[in-house]
Coordinates of all heavy atoms in Angstrom, one line a residue:
M1 N 0.8 -1.2 0.0 CA 0.0 0.0 0.0 C 0.8 1.3 0.0 O 0.4 2.3 -0.4 CB -0.9 0.0 1.2 CG -1.9 1.1 1.2 SD -3.2 0.9 2.3 CE -2.7 2.0 3.6
A2 N 2.1 1.2 0.5 CA 2.9 2.4 0.6 C 3.1 3.0 -0.8 O 3.2 4.2 -0.9 CB 4.3 2.0 1.1
S3 N 3.1 2.2 -1.9 CA 3.2 2.8 -3.2 C 2.0 3.6 -3.6 O 2.0 4.4 -4.6 CB 3.5 1.7 -4.2 OG 2.4 0.8 -4.3
N4 N 0.9 3.4 -2.9 CA -0.4 4.1 -3.2 C -0.4 5.5 -2.6 O -1.3 6.3 -3.0 CB -1.5 3.3 -2.5 CG -2.9 3.6 -3.0 OD1 -3.0 4.2 -4.1 ND2 -3.9 3.3 -2.3
E5 N 0.6 5.9 -1.8 CA 0.6 7.2 -1.2 C 0.6 8.3 -2.2 O 1.3 8.2 -3.3 CB 1.8 7.3 -0.3 CG 1.8 8.5 0.6 CD 2.7 8.4 1.8 OE1 3.3 7.3 2.0 OE2 2.7 9.3 2.6
G6 N -0.2 9.3 -2.0 CA -0.3 10.4 -2.9 C -1.3 10.3 -3.9 O -1.6 11.2 -4.6
T7 N -2.0 9.2 -4.1 CA -3.0 9.0 -5.1 C -4.4 9.0 -4.4 O -4.8 10.1 -4.0 CB -2.8 7.7 -5.9 OG1 -2.7 6.6 -5.0 CG2 -1.6 7.8 -6.7
K8 N -5.0 7.9 -4.1 CA -6.3 7.9 -3.5 C -6.1 7.4 -2.0 O -5.2 6.6 -1.7 CB -7.2 7.0 -4.2 CG -6.8 5.6 -4.4 CD -7.8 4.8 -5.3 CE -7.3 3.4 -5.5 NZ -8.1 2.6 -6.3
P9 N -7.0 7.8 -1.1 CA -7.0 7.4 0.2 C -7.2 5.9 0.4 O -7.8 5.2 -0.5 CB -8.1 8.1 0.9 CG -8.9 8.8 -0.1 CD -8.1 8.7 -1.4
P10 N -6.6 5.3 1.4 CA -6.8 3.8 1.6 C -8.2 3.5 1.9 O -9.0 4.3 2.5 CB -5.9 3.5 2.9 CG -5.7 4.9 3.5 CD -5.8 5.9 2.5
T11 N -8.6 2.3 1.5 CA -10.0 1.8 1.8 C -10.1 1.5 3.3 O -9.1 1.3 4.0 CB -10.3 0.6 0.9 OG1 -9.4 -0.5 1.4 CG2 -10.1 0.9 -0.5
R12 N -11.3 1.2 3.7 CA -11.5 0.8 5.1 C -10.8 -0.5 5.4 O -10.2 -0.6 6.4 CB -13.0 0.6 5.3 CG -13.4 0.3 6.7 CD -14.9 0.1 6.8 NE -15.2 0.0 8.2 CZ -16.4 0.1 8.7 NH1 -17.4 0.4 7.9 NH2 -16.7 0.0 9.9
Q13 N -10.8 -1.4 4.4 CA -10.1 -2.7 4.6 C -8.6 -2.5 4.7 O -8.0 -3.1 5.6 CB -10.5 -3.6 3.5 CG -9.9 -5.0 3.7 CD -10.3 -6.0 2.5 OE1 -10.9 -5.6 1.6 NE2 -9.9 -7.2 2.6
Q14 N -8.1 -1.6 3.9 CA -6.6 -1.3 4.0 C -6.3 -0.6 5.3 O -5.2 -1.0 5.9 CB -6.2 -0.4 2.8 CG -6.2 -1.1 1.5 CD -6.1 -0.1 0.3 OE1 -6.6 1.0 0.3 NE2 -5.3 -0.6 -0.7
R15 N -7.1 0.3 5.8 CA -6.8 0.9 7.1 C -6.9 -0.1 8.2 O -6.0 -0.1 9.1 CB -7.9 2.0 7.4 CG -7.7 3.2 6.5 CD -8.6 4.4 7.0 NE -10.0 4.1 7.2 CZ -10.9 4.2 6.3 NH1 -10.6 4.6 5.1 NH2 -12.2 3.9 6.6
Q16 N -7.9 -1.0 8.2 CA -8.0 -2.0 9.2 C -6.8 -3.0 9.2 O -6.2 -3.3 10.2 CB -9.3 -2.8 9.1 CG -10.5 -2.0 9.4 CD -11.8 -2.7 9.2 OE1 -11.9 -3.5 8.3 NE2 -12.8 -2.3 9.9
Q17 N -6.3 -3.3 8.0 CA -5.1 -4.2 7.9 C -3.9 -3.5 8.4 O -3.1 -4.0 9.1 CB -4.9 -4.6 6.4 CG -3.7 -5.5 6.2 CD -3.7 -6.8 6.9 OE1 -4.7 -7.3 7.4 NE2 -2.5 -7.4 7.0
C18 N -3.8 -2.2 8.1 CA -2.6 -1.4 8.6 C -2.6 -1.4 10.1 O -1.6 -1.6 10.8 CB -2.7 0.0 8.1 SG -1.5 1.2 8.8
W19 N -3.8 -1.1 10.7 CA -3.9 -1.1 12.2 C -3.6 -2.4 12.8 O -2.9 -2.5 13.9 CB -5.3 -0.6 12.6 CG -5.6 0.8 12.2 CD1 -4.7 1.8 12.0 CD2 -6.9 1.3 11.9 NE1 -5.4 2.9 11.5 CE2 -6.7 2.7 11.5 CE3 -8.2 0.8 11.9 CZ2 -7.8 3.5 11.1 CZ3 -9.3 1.6 11.5 CH2 -9.1 2.9 11.1
K20 N -4.0 -3.5 12.2 CA -3.8 -4.8 12.7 C -2.3 -5.1 12.7 O -1.8 -5.6 13.7 CB -4.5 -5.9 11.8 CG -4.3 -7.3 12.2 CD -5.0 -8.2 11.2 CE -4.8 -9.7 11.4 NZ -3.5 -10.1 10.9
V21 N -1.6 -4.9 11.6 CA -0.2 -5.2 11.6 C 0.6 -4.2 12.4 O 1.7 -4.6 13.0 CB 0.4 -5.3 10.1 CG1 -0.3 -6.4 9.3 CG2 0.3 -3.9 9.4
R22 N 0.2 -3.0 12.6 CA 0.8 -2.1 13.5 C 0.7 -2.6 14.9 O 1.7 -2.6 15.6 CB 0.1 -0.7 13.4 CG 0.6 0.3 14.5 CD -0.4 1.4 14.8 NE -1.6 0.8 15.4 CZ -2.7 1.5 15.5 NH1 -2.8 2.7 15.1 NH2 -3.8 0.9 16.0
D23 N -0.5 -3.0 15.3 CA -0.6 -3.6 16.7 C 0.2 -4.8 16.9 O 0.8 -5.0 18.0 CB -2.1 -3.9 16.9 CG -3.0 -2.6 17.0 OD1 -2.4 -1.5 17.1 OD2 -4.2 -2.8 16.9
E24 N 0.3 -5.7 15.9 CA 1.2 -6.9 16.0 C 2.7 -6.5 16.2 O 3.4 -7.0 17.0 CB 1.0 -7.8 14.8 CG -0.4 -8.4 14.8 CD -0.6 -9.2 13.5 OE1 0.2 -9.1 12.6 OE2 -1.7 -9.8 13.4
Y25 N 3.1 -5.5 15.4 CA 4.5 -5.1 15.5 C 4.8 -4.4 16.8 O 5.8 -4.7 17.5 CB 4.8 -4.1 14.3 CG 6.2 -3.5 14.4 CD1 7.3 -4.3 14.5 CD2 6.3 -2.1 14.3 CE1 8.6 -3.7 14.6 CE2 7.6 -1.5 14.4 CZ 8.7 -2.3 14.5 OH 10.0 -1.8 14.5
F26 N 3.9 -3.5 17.3 CA 4.1 -2.8 18.6 C 4.0 -3.8 19.7 O 4.7 -3.7 20.7 CB 3.0 -1.7 18.7 CG 3.3 -0.5 17.9 CD1 2.5 0.6 18.0 CD2 4.4 -0.4 17.1 CE1 2.7 1.7 17.2 CE2 4.7 0.7 16.3 CZ 3.8 1.8 16.4
A27 N 3.2 -4.8 19.6 CA 3.1 -5.9 20.7 C 4.5 -6.6 20.8 O 5.0 -6.9 21.8 CB 2.0 -6.9 20.4
C28 N 5.1 -6.9 19.6 CA 6.4 -7.5 19.6 C 7.4 -6.6 20.2 O 8.2 -7.1 21.0 CB 6.8 -7.8 18.1 SG 8.3 -8.8 18.0
L29 N 7.4 -5.3 19.9 CA 8.3 -4.4 20.6 C 8.1 -4.3 22.1 O 9.0 -4.2 22.9 CB 8.2 -3.0 20.0 CG 8.6 -2.8 18.5 CD1 8.4 -1.3 18.1 CD2 10.0 -3.2 18.3
D30 N 6.8 -4.4 22.5 CA 6.5 -4.4 23.9 C 7.1 -5.6 24.6 O 7.7 -5.4 25.7 CB 5.0 -4.4 24.1 CG 4.3 -3.1 23.8 OD1 4.9 -2.1 23.6 OD2 3.0 -3.2 23.6
R31 N 7.1 -6.7 24.0 CA 7.7 -7.9 24.6 C 9.2 -7.7 24.8 O 9.8 -8.3 25.7 CB 7.4 -9.1 23.8 CG 6.0 -9.6 23.8 CD 5.7 -11.0 23.2 NE 5.9 -11.0 21.8 CZ 5.0 -10.7 20.9 NH1 3.8 -10.3 21.3 NH2 5.3 -10.7 19.6
L32 N 9.8 -6.9 24.0 CA 11.3 -6.7 24.1 C 11.6 -5.4 24.8 O 12.7 -5.0 24.9 CB 11.9 -6.6 22.7 CG 11.7 -7.8 21.8 CD1 12.2 -7.5 20.4 CD2 12.5 -9.0 22.4
N33 N 10.5 -4.7 25.4 CA 10.7 -3.5 26.1 C 11.3 -2.4 25.3 O 12.2 -1.6 25.8 CB 11.5 -3.7 27.4 CG 10.7 -4.6 28.4 OD1 9.5 -4.4 28.6 ND2 11.4 -5.5 29.0
I34 N 10.9 -2.3 24.0 CA 11.4 -1.3 23.1 C 10.2 -0.3 22.9 O 9.2 -0.7 22.4 CB 11.9 -1.8 21.8 CG1 13.1 -2.7 22.0 CG2 12.2 -0.7 20.8 CD1 13.5 -3.4 20.7
I35 N 10.4 0.9 23.4 CA 9.4 1.9 23.3 C 9.4 2.6 21.9 O 8.4 2.8 21.3 CB 9.5 3.0 24.4 CG1 9.3 2.3 25.8 CG2 8.6 4.1 24.2 CD1 9.7 3.2 27.0
D36 N 10.6 3.1 21.5 CA 10.7 3.9 20.3 C 11.1 3.0 19.1 O 12.2 2.4 19.1 CB 11.8 4.9 20.5 CG 11.8 6.0 19.4 OD1 11.2 5.7 18.3 OD2 12.5 7.0 19.6
P37 N 10.2 2.9 18.1 CA 10.5 2.1 16.9 C 11.7 2.5 16.2 O 12.3 1.7 15.5 CB 9.2 2.2 16.1 CG 8.2 2.5 17.0 CD 8.8 3.4 18.1
V38 N 12.1 3.8 16.4 CA 13.3 4.3 15.7 C 14.6 3.5 16.2 O 15.5 3.4 15.5 CB 13.5 5.8 15.9 CG1 14.8 6.3 15.4 CG2 12.3 6.5 15.2
T39 N 14.5 3.0 17.4 CA 15.6 2.2 18.0 C 15.9 1.0 17.0 O 17.0 0.7 16.8 CB 15.2 1.7 19.3 OG1 14.9 2.8 20.2 CG2 16.3 0.8 20.0
V40 N 14.8 0.4 16.5 CA 15.0 -0.7 15.6 C 15.6 -0.3 14.3 O 16.4 -1.0 13.7 CB 13.6 -1.4 15.3 CG1 13.8 -2.6 14.4 CG2 12.9 -1.8 16.6
E41 N 15.3 0.9 13.8 CA 16.0 1.5 12.6 C 17.5 1.6 12.8 O 18.3 1.2 11.9 CB 15.4 2.8 12.2 CG 13.9 2.8 11.8 CD 13.7 2.1 10.5 OE1 14.6 2.2 9.6 OE2 12.7 1.5 10.3
K42 N 17.8 2.1 14.0 CA 19.3 2.3 14.3 C 20.0 1.1 14.5 O 21.2 1.0 14.2 CB 19.4 3.3 15.5 CG 18.9 4.7 15.2 CD 19.0 5.6 16.4 CE 18.4 7.0 16.1 NZ 18.4 7.8 17.2
D43 N 19.4 0.1 15.2 CA 20.1 -1.2 15.5 C 19.1 -2.3 15.4 O 18.5 -2.7 16.4 CB 20.7 -1.1 16.9 CG 21.5 -2.3 17.3 OD1 21.7 -3.2 16.4 OD2 21.9 -2.4 18.4
P44 N 18.9 -2.8 14.2 CA 17.9 -3.9 14.0 C 18.1 -5.2 14.8 O 17.2 -5.9 15.1 CB 18.0 -4.2 12.5 CG 18.6 -3.0 11.9 CD 19.5 -2.4 12.9
S45 N 19.4 -5.4 15.2 CA 19.7 -6.6 16.0 C 19.0 -6.6 17.4 O 18.7 -7.6 17.9 CB 21.2 -6.7 16.2 OG 21.7 -5.7 17.0
Q46 N 18.6 -5.4 17.8 CA 17.9 -5.3 19.1 C 16.5 -5.9 19.1 O 15.9 -6.3 20.1 CB 17.8 -3.9 19.6 CG 19.1 -3.3 20.0 CD 18.9 -1.9 20.6 OE1 17.8 -1.5 20.9 NE2 20.0 -1.2 20.8
A47 N 16.0 -6.0 17.8 CA 14.6 -6.5 17.7 C 14.5 -7.5 16.5 O 13.6 -7.5 15.8 CB 13.6 -5.3 17.4
S48 N 15.5 -8.3 16.5 CA 15.5 -9.3 15.3 C 14.2 -10.1 15.3 O 13.8 -10.5 14.2 CB 16.7 -10.2 15.4 OG 16.8 -10.9 16.6
A49 N 13.6 -10.4 16.4 CA 12.4 -11.2 16.4 C 11.2 -10.4 15.8 O 10.2 -11.0 15.5 CB 12.0 -11.6 17.9
C50 N 11.3 -9.1 15.7 CA 10.2 -8.3 15.2 C 10.4 -7.8 13.8 O 9.6 -7.1 13.2 CB 10.1 -7.1 16.1 SG 9.7 -7.5 17.8
L51 N 11.5 -8.1 13.2 CA 11.8 -7.5 11.9 C 10.8 -7.9 10.8 O 10.5 -7.1 9.9 CB 13.3 -7.9 11.4 CG 14.4 -7.2 12.3 CD1 15.8 -7.6 11.8 CD2 14.2 -5.7 12.4
D52 N 10.3 -9.2 10.8 CA 9.3 -9.6 9.8 C 8.1 -8.8 10.0 O 7.5 -8.3 9.0 CB 9.0 -11.1 10.0 CG 10.2 -11.9 9.4 OD1 11.0 -11.4 8.7 OD2 10.1 -13.1 9.7
K53 N 7.6 -8.6 11.3 CA 6.5 -7.8 11.6 C 6.7 -6.3 11.2 O 5.7 -5.7 10.7 CB 6.1 -7.9 13.0 CG 5.6 -9.2 13.5 CD 5.2 -9.3 14.9 CE 4.8 -10.6 15.4 NZ 4.3 -11.6 14.6
K54 N 7.9 -5.8 11.3 CA 8.2 -4.4 11.0 C 8.0 -4.3 9.4 O 7.5 -3.3 9.0 CB 9.6 -4.1 11.4 CG 10.1 -2.7 11.0 CD 11.6 -2.5 11.4 CE 12.1 -1.2 11.1 NZ 12.2 -0.9 9.7
K55 N 8.5 -5.2 8.7 CA 8.4 -5.1 7.2 C 7.0 -5.1 6.8 O 6.6 -4.3 5.9 CB 9.2 -6.3 6.6 CG 9.1 -6.2 5.0 CD 10.0 -7.2 4.4 CE 10.0 -7.2 2.9 NZ 9.1 -6.3 2.2
V56 N 6.2 -6.0 7.3 CA 4.8 -6.1 7.0 C 4.1 -4.8 7.3 O 3.3 -4.2 6.5 CB 4.1 -7.3 7.7 CG1 2.6 -7.2 7.4 CG2 4.7 -8.6 7.2
Y57 N 4.4 -4.2 8.5 CA 3.8 -3.0 9.0 C 4.2 -1.9 8.0 O 3.3 -1.1 7.6 CB 4.4 -2.7 10.4 CG 4.2 -1.3 10.9 CD1 3.0 -0.7 11.0 CD2 5.3 -0.6 11.4 CE1 2.9 0.6 11.6 CE2 5.2 0.6 12.0 CZ 4.0 1.2 12.1 OH 3.9 2.5 12.7
E58 N 5.4 -1.8 7.6 CA 5.8 -0.7 6.7 C 5.3 -0.9 5.3 O 5.0 0.0 4.5 CB 7.3 -0.6 6.7 CG 7.9 -0.1 8.0 CD 9.4 -0.1 8.1 OE1 10.0 -0.7 7.3 OE2 9.9 0.5 9.1
D59 N 5.1 -2.2 4.9 CA 4.5 -2.5 3.6 C 3.0 -2.2 3.5 O 2.5 -1.7 2.5 CB 4.7 -3.9 3.2 CG 6.2 -4.2 2.8 OD1 7.0 -3.3 2.6 OD2 6.5 -5.4 2.7
E60 N 2.3 -2.5 4.6 CA 0.8 -2.4 4.6 C 0.3 -0.9 4.9 O -0.8 -0.6 4.6 CB 0.2 -3.3 5.7 CG 0.4 -4.8 5.3 CD -0.5 -5.2 4.1 OE1 -1.6 -4.7 3.9 OE2 0.0 -6.1 3.4
C61 N 1.2 -0.1 5.5 CA 0.8 1.2 5.9 C 1.5 2.3 5.1 O 2.7 2.1 4.8 CB 1.0 1.4 7.4 SG 0.2 0.3 8.5
M62 N 0.8 3.4 4.9 CA 1.5 4.5 4.2 C 2.6 5.0 5.0 O 2.5 5.0 6.3 CB 0.5 5.6 3.9 CG -0.6 5.2 2.9 SD -1.6 6.6 2.5 CE -2.3 7.2 4.0
A63 N 3.7 5.4 4.4 CA 4.9 5.9 5.1 C 4.5 7.0 6.1 O 5.0 7.0 7.2 CB 5.9 6.4 4.1
S64 N 3.6 7.9 5.7 CA 3.2 9.0 6.6 C 2.5 8.4 7.9 O 2.7 9.0 9.0 CB 2.4 10.0 5.9 OG 1.2 9.4 5.4
W65 N 1.8 7.4 7.7 CA 1.1 6.7 8.8 C 2.1 6.1 9.7 O 2.0 6.2 11.0 CB 0.1 5.7 8.3 CG -1.2 6.3 7.7 CD1 -1.3 7.5 7.1 CD2 -2.4 5.7 7.7 NE1 -2.6 7.7 6.7 CE2 -3.3 6.6 7.0 CE3 -2.9 4.5 8.1 CZ2 -4.7 6.3 6.8 CZ3 -4.3 4.2 7.9 CH2 -5.1 5.1 7.2
V66 N 3.1 5.4 9.2 CA 4.1 4.7 10.0 C 4.8 5.7 10.8 O 5.0 5.5 12.0 CB 5.1 4.0 9.1 CG1 6.3 3.5 9.8 CG2 4.4 2.8 8.4
E67 N 5.2 6.9 10.2 CA 5.9 7.9 11.0 C 5.0 8.4 12.1 O 5.5 8.6 13.2 CB 6.3 9.0 10.0 CG 7.1 10.2 10.7 CD 7.4 11.3 9.7 OE1 7.3 11.1 8.5 OE2 7.9 12.3 10.2
Y68 N 3.7 8.7 11.8 CA 2.8 9.2 12.8 C 2.6 8.2 13.9 O 2.7 8.5 15.1 CB 1.5 9.5 12.1 CG 0.4 9.8 13.1 CD1 0.3 11.0 13.8 CD2 -0.6 8.8 13.5 CE1 -0.7 11.3 14.7 CE2 -1.6 9.1 14.4 CZ -1.6 10.3 15.0 OH -2.6 10.6 15.9
F69 N 2.3 6.9 13.6 CA 2.1 5.9 14.6 C 3.3 5.7 15.5 O 3.2 5.5 16.7 CB 1.7 4.6 14.0 CG 0.4 4.5 13.4 CD1 0.1 3.8 12.2 CD2 -0.7 5.2 13.9 CE1 -1.1 3.7 11.6 CE2 -2.0 5.2 13.3 CZ -2.2 4.4 12.2
N70 N 4.5 5.7 14.9 CA 5.8 5.6 15.7 C 5.9 6.7 16.7 O 6.3 6.5 17.8 CB 7.0 5.5 14.8 CG 7.0 4.2 14.0 OD1 6.2 3.3 14.2 ND2 7.9 4.1 13.0
K71 N 5.7 8.0 16.2 CA 5.8 9.1 17.1 C 4.8 9.1 18.2 O 5.0 9.4 19.4 CB 5.7 10.4 16.3 CG 6.9 10.7 15.5 CD 6.8 12.0 14.7 CE 8.0 12.2 13.8 NZ 7.8 13.4 13.0
R72 N 3.6 8.7 17.8 CA 2.5 8.7 18.8 C 2.7 7.6 19.9 O 2.4 7.9 21.0 CB 1.1 8.4 18.1 CG -0.1 8.6 19.0 CD -1.3 8.4 18.2 NE -1.8 7.1 18.6 CZ -2.9 6.5 18.0 NH1 -3.5 7.1 17.1 NH2 -3.3 5.3 18.5
R73 N 3.3 6.5 19.5 CA 3.6 5.5 20.5 C 4.6 6.0 21.5 O 4.3 5.8 22.7 CB 4.3 4.3 19.7 CG 4.8 3.2 20.7 CD 5.5 2.1 19.9 NE 6.2 1.2 20.7 CZ 5.8 0.1 21.4 NH1 4.5 -0.1 21.3 NH2 6.5 -0.6 22.1
V74 N 5.6 6.7 21.1 CA 6.6 7.2 22.1 C 5.9 8.3 23.0 O 6.1 8.3 24.2 CB 7.8 7.9 21.3 CG1 8.7 8.6 22.3 CG2 8.5 6.8 20.6
L75 N 5.1 9.2 22.4 CA 4.4 10.2 23.2 C 3.5 9.6 24.2 O 3.4 10.0 25.3 CB 3.7 11.2 22.2 CG 4.6 12.1 21.4 CD1 3.7 12.9 20.4 CD2 5.4 13.0 22.3
E76 N 2.7 8.6 23.8 CA 1.8 8.0 24.7 C 2.5 7.3 25.9 O 2.0 7.4 27.0 CB 0.9 6.9 23.9 CG -0.1 7.6 23.1 CD -1.0 6.6 22.3 OE1 -0.6 5.4 22.2 OE2 -2.0 7.0 21.7
V77 N 3.6 6.6 25.6 CA 4.3 5.9 26.7 C 4.9 7.0 27.6 O 4.8 6.8 28.8 CB 5.4 5.0 26.1 CG1 6.3 4.5 27.2 CG2 4.8 3.8 25.4
R78 N 5.5 8.0 27.1 CA 6.0 9.1 27.9 C 4.9 9.8 28.8 O 5.1 10.1 29.9 CB 6.7 10.1 27.1 CG 8.1 9.6 26.6 CD 8.8 10.7 25.9 NE 10.1 10.2 25.3 CZ 10.7 10.7 24.3 NH1 10.2 11.7 23.6 NH2 11.8 10.1 23.9
Q79 N 3.8 10.0 28.2 CA 2.7 10.6 28.9 C 2.2 9.7 30.0 O 2.0 10.2 31.1 CB 1.5 10.9 27.9 CG 0.4 11.6 28.6 CD -0.8 11.9 27.6 OE1 -1.0 11.2 26.7 NE2 -1.5 13.0 27.9
K80 N 2.1 8.4 29.7 CA 1.6 7.5 30.8 C 2.6 7.5 31.9 O 2.3 7.5 33.1 CB 1.5 6.1 30.1 CG 1.0 5.0 31.1 CD 0.9 3.7 30.4 CE 0.5 2.6 31.5 NZ 0.6 1.3 30.9
Q81 N 3.9 7.4 31.6 CA 5.0 7.4 32.6 C 4.9 8.7 33.5 O 5.0 8.7 34.7 CB 6.4 7.3 32.0 CG 6.6 5.9 31.4 CD 7.9 5.9 30.6 OE1 8.5 6.9 30.2 NE2 8.4 4.7 30.4
Y82 N 4.7 9.8 32.8 CA 4.6 11.1 33.5 C 3.4 11.1 34.4 O 3.5 11.5 35.6 CB 4.5 12.3 32.5 CG 4.2 13.6 33.1 CD1 5.2 14.3 33.7 CD2 2.9 14.1 33.1 CE1 5.0 15.5 34.4 CE2 2.7 15.4 33.8 CZ 3.7 16.0 34.4 OH 3.5 17.2 35.0
L83 N 2.3 10.6 34.0 CA 1.0 10.6 34.8 C 1.2 9.7 36.0 O 0.8 10.0 37.1 CB -0.2 10.2 34.0 CG -0.6 11.2 32.9 CD1 -1.7 10.7 32.0 CD2 -1.0 12.5 33.5
E84 N 1.9 8.5 35.8 CA 2.1 7.6 36.9 C 3.1 8.2 37.9 O 2.8 8.1 39.1 CB 2.7 6.3 36.4 CG 1.7 5.4 35.6 CD 2.4 4.2 35.0 OE1 3.6 4.1 35.0 OE2 1.6 3.4 34.4
L85 N 4.1 8.9 37.5 CA 5.0 9.6 38.3 C 4.3 10.7 39.1 O 4.5 10.8 40.3 CB 6.2 10.1 37.6 CG 7.3 10.9 38.4 CD1 8.0 9.9 39.4 CD2 8.3 11.5 37.4
S86 N 3.5 11.5 38.4 CA 2.8 12.6 39.0 C 1.8 12.0 40.1 O 1.7 12.6 41.2 CB 2.0 13.3 38.0 OG 1.3 14.4 38.5
A87 N 1.2 10.9 39.8 CA 0.3 10.3 40.8 C 1.0 9.8 42.0 O 0.6 10.0 43.2 CB -0.5 9.2 40.1
Q88 N 2.2 9.2 41.8 CA 3.0 8.7 42.9 C 3.5 9.9 43.8 O 3.4 9.8 45.0 CB 4.2 8.0 42.4 CG 3.9 6.6 41.8 CD 5.1 6.0 41.2 OE1 6.2 6.6 41.0 NE2 5.0 4.7 40.8
Q89 N 3.9 11.0 43.2 CA 4.4 12.1 43.9 C 3.3 12.8 44.7 O 3.5 13.4 45.7 CB 5.1 13.1 43.0 CG 6.4 12.6 42.5 CD 7.1 13.5 41.5 OE1 6.5 14.4 40.9 NE2 8.4 13.2 41.2
S90 N 2.1 12.8 44.2 CA 1.0 13.4 44.9 C 0.3 12.5 45.9 O -0.6 12.9 46.6 CB -0.1 14.0 43.9 OG -0.7 12.9 43.2
G91 N 0.7 11.2 45.9 CA 0.2 10.3 46.8 C -1.2 9.7 46.5 O -1.9 9.2 47.3
K92 N -1.6 9.9 45.2 CA -2.9 9.5 44.8 C -2.9 8.1 44.2 O -4.0 7.7 43.7 CB -3.5 10.5 43.9 CG -3.8 11.8 44.5 CD -4.4 12.8 43.6 CE -4.7 14.1 44.3 NZ -5.3 15.1 43.4
K93 N -1.8 7.5 44.1 CA -1.8 6.2 43.4 C -2.4 5.1 44.3 O -3.3 4.6 44.4 CB -0.4 5.8 43.0 CG -0.4 4.5 42.2 CD 0.7 4.6 41.3 CE 0.5 3.4 40.3 NZ 1.3 3.2 39.3

């Protein structure tokens, strides 16, 4: 689907497939405690078990979506960590 970028928007089925393979890839990264997918770009050996899922994710999703999802993943994890820390410091956990 990546070659489709810039022409017509993805169909509902293509979007659902993209989200499915994204979730599978991110779950694989979770098992390896890798938050930032860019880490895999810099050193693929850190996530060798996830490289097949990464390729499918990048093939099934538009490049702009991959970039967005990767950044959003990092931001969501950081936000969650910040909220947990904030709750601990305020004694509300």
Side-chain angles (χ1 to χ4, degrees):
M1 188 166 100
S3 62
N4 196 20
E5 193 159 357
T7 55
K8 58 184 179 180
T11 65
R12 182 179 190 166
Q13 184 177 3
Q14 289 169 322
R15 289 191 309 270
Q16 289 175 332
Q17 178 62 16
C18 171
W19 298 330
K20 177 181 175 281
V21 297
R22 173 204 60 194
D23 292 347
E24 291 171 356
Y25 175 53
F26 285 178
C28 186
L29 294 181
D30 288 344
R31 287 190 294 275
L32 299 174
N33 294 317
I34 296 174
I35 294 169
D36 190 348
V38 173
T39 302
V40 181
E41 293 291 329
K42 293 179 181 173
D43 185 5
S45 66
Q46 289 187 13
S48 56
C50 301
L51 294 181
D52 287 345
K53 291 184 185 335
K54 177 182 181 297
K55 180 175 180 355
V56 173
Y57 166 55
E58 291 173 349
D59 288 347
E60 292 290 329
C61 300
M62 293 187 301
S64 60
W65 286 27
V66 169
E67 183 179 349
Y68 170 78
F69 289 144
N70 290 351
K71 287 179 182 177
R72 192 175 103 187
R73 173 182 167 85
V74 174
L75 289 173
E76 286 177 350
V77 169
R78 286 186 183 153
Q79 183 180 33
K80 182 180 174 188
Q81 290 171 340
Y82 173 78
L83 292 173
E84 287 173 355
L85 179 63
S86 180
Q88 287 174 352
Q89 290 177 344
S90 67
K92 293 182 180 178
K93 187 146 189 171

